[in-house]
C-alpha cells in the first residue's frame, strides 16, 4: 500500500524566511499527491495537489512539484508569514488505494 | 449545512463504556472516511466507504472498532469497551465518487474522545 515519510518538526522560522518541508512516498501505481494544512483550532483543509508526474501544485504562495523519479513532493514557500503557522501533512492517494494516507505532519511556527 | 458535520464535538467516557461517533457527509459525496488523530501520532486511517462497495476496514486497530454507513449517507463509528489509548480526535471526511484518486477530501471538525 501507499506510505509517506515526511520531514519531522517542529520547524521554527522567522518571518520572510524560505521554507522547505520534505516529503517522499512509496506507492503502487501512480498516486495523486496532496498537501493538507491544519491551522490552530481549525479542521484539516487542502492546501495544494498534483495529479501526475511533473505537475506543480500551488496555493497561497506554497508550491510542490510531483517528482516521480525521486518519489517526492516537497513543499516550498519563498517567504513565510506568521499566519502560515500550522501543521502540514503530505498525503498520497490512489494507485491501488482510494483512501488518503497521511504523513505524521510537520508543525511550522513562524516568528515575527 | 454545507460542510461535513460530526457529533459530538467532545465526549468524555469511562474506561469500558461503548461510544458512538456520528458523521454527516456533504450531500452528494458517496465516499466517506474515518481517521484518528492522536497527539504526536499524526493521522491514522481507520475505514473507508465508497458507494455500495464493501468498505475498506484495513485501518481499524481492533475488533472493538466498527463503523457503518446507512443509506449511503450518515456514518457511525462505534468503539466498544473503550480503553485509555482510544483517546484521540476522530476525524470524518467525504469526497465525490467521481474523483476517487484526484479529488479533495473535505474534513469535519472532529470528535474529541477522552477515556478516563
Amino acid at each position: 500500500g501507499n506510505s509517506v515519510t515526511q520531514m519531522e518538526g517542529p520547524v521554527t522560522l522567522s518571518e520572510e524566511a524560505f521554507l522547505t518541508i520534505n516529503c517522499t512516498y512509496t506507492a503502487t501505481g501512480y498516486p495523486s499527491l496532496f498537501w493538507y494544512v491544519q491551522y490552530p483550532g481549525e479542521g484539516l483543509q487542502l492546501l495544494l495537489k498534483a495529479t501526475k508526474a511533473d505537475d506543480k501544485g500551488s496555493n497561497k504562495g506554497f508550491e510542490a512539484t510531483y517528482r516521480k523519479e525521486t518519489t517526492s513532493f516537497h513543499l516550498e514557500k519563498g517567504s513565510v508569514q506568521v499566519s502560515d503557522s500550522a501543521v502540514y501533512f503530505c498525503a498520497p492517494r490512489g494507485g491501488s488505494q482510494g483512501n488518503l494516507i497521511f504523513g505524521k505532519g510537520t508543525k511550522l511556527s513562524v516568528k515575527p | 449545512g454545507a460542510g461535513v458535520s460530526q457529533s459530538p464535538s467532545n465526549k468524555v467516557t469511562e474506561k469500558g463504556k461503548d461510544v458512538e461517533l456520528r458523521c454527516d457527509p456533504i450531500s452528494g459525496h458517496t465516499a466517506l472516511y474515518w481517521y484518528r488523530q492522536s497527539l504526536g501520532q499524526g493521522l491514522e486511517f481507520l475505514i473507508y466507504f465508497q458507494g455500495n462497495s464493501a468498505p475498506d476496514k484495513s485501518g481499524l486497530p481492533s475488533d472493538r472498532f466498527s463503523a457503518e454507513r446507512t443509506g449511503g449517507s450518515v456514518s457511525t463509528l462505534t468503539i466498544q469497551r473503550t480503553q485509555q489509548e482510544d483517546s484521540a480526535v476522530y476525524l470524518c471526511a467525504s469526497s465525490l465518487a467521481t474523483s476517487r484518486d484526484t479529488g479533495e477530501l473535505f474534513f469535519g471538525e472532529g470528535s474529541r474522545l477522552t477515556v478516563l
Side-chain angles (χ1 to χ4, degrees):
Chain A
N2 297 348
S3 67
V4 57
T5 301
Q6 186 176 338
M7 175 175 150
E8 288 201 21
V11 175
T12 303
L13 295 174
S14 298
E15 209 165 19
E16 299 183 4
F18 183 85
L19 169 72
T20 300
I21 301 177
N22 290 338
C23 170
T24 58
Y25 66 91
T26 58
T28 303
Y30 300 98
S32 296
L33 301 173
F34 298 78
W35 278 99
Y36 279 77
V37 59
Q38 190 172 33
Y39 297 103
E42 298 185 19
L44 271 165
Q45 58 187 274
L46 178 67
L47 178 61
L48 54 83
K49 71 177 184 182
T51 59
K52 60 183 188 294
D54 300 325
D55 266 4
K56 179 186 285 188
S58 61
N59 186 24
K60 298 182 180 181
F62 289 88
E63 292 184 338
T65 301
Y66 191 143
R67 300 287 187 201
K68 195 174 112 183
E69 63 277 9
T70 55
T71 61
S72 65
F73 193 53
H74 304 322
L75 183 68
E76 296 182 336
K77 186 171 185 179
S79 176
V80 293
Q81 305 300 310
V82 172
S83 57
D84 294 327
S85 297
V87 182
Y88 293 82
F89 295 90
C90 181
R93 181 185 183 197
S96 64
Q97 296 178 244
N99 57 304
L100 201 61
I101 300 296
F102 286 89
K104 289 192 180 292
T106 302
K107 183 175 181 179
L108 170 66
S109 296
V110 181
K111 307 297 184 187
Chain B
V4 176
S5 178
Q6 290 188 247
S7 61
S9 54
N10 275 289
K11 175 73 176 178
V12 179
T13 191
E14 293 179 349
K15 178 181 171 181
K17 301 281 190 184
D18 298 351
V19 297
E20 286 189 350
L21 307 176
R22 176 189 167 103
C23 173
D24 201 342
I26 293 172
S27 178
H29 283 192
T30 58
L32 187 146
Y33 312 74
W34 283 98
Y35 290 85
R36 177 166 72 174
Q37 186 172 25
S38 305
L39 193 62
Q41 296 297 314
L43 279 150
E44 176 187 11
F45 166 72
L46 297 177
I47 188 168
Y48 162 47
F49 296 89
Q50 175 60 62
N52 295 320
S53 302
D56 176 357
K57 302 180 181 181
S58 60
L60 294 178
S62 78
D63 59 7
R64 296 186 295 104
F65 287 73
S66 63
E68 62 178 25
R69 191 176 182 195
T70 53
S73 180
V74 172
S75 176
T76 302
L77 177 70
T78 301
I79 309 172
Q80 295 179 308
R81 306 180 300 282
T82 52
Q83 303 295 312
Q84 288 183 330
E85 62 262 28
D86 299 335
S87 296
V89 177
Y90 290 82
L91 295 170
C92 177
S94 69
S95 70
L96 289 168
T98 53
S99 56
R100 179 186 183 272
D101 290 352
T102 63
E104 176 181 358
L105 268 64
F106 293 83
F107 283 84
E109 298 276 334
S111 292
R112 181 178 295 278
L113 174 66
T114 303
V115 182
L116 301 177

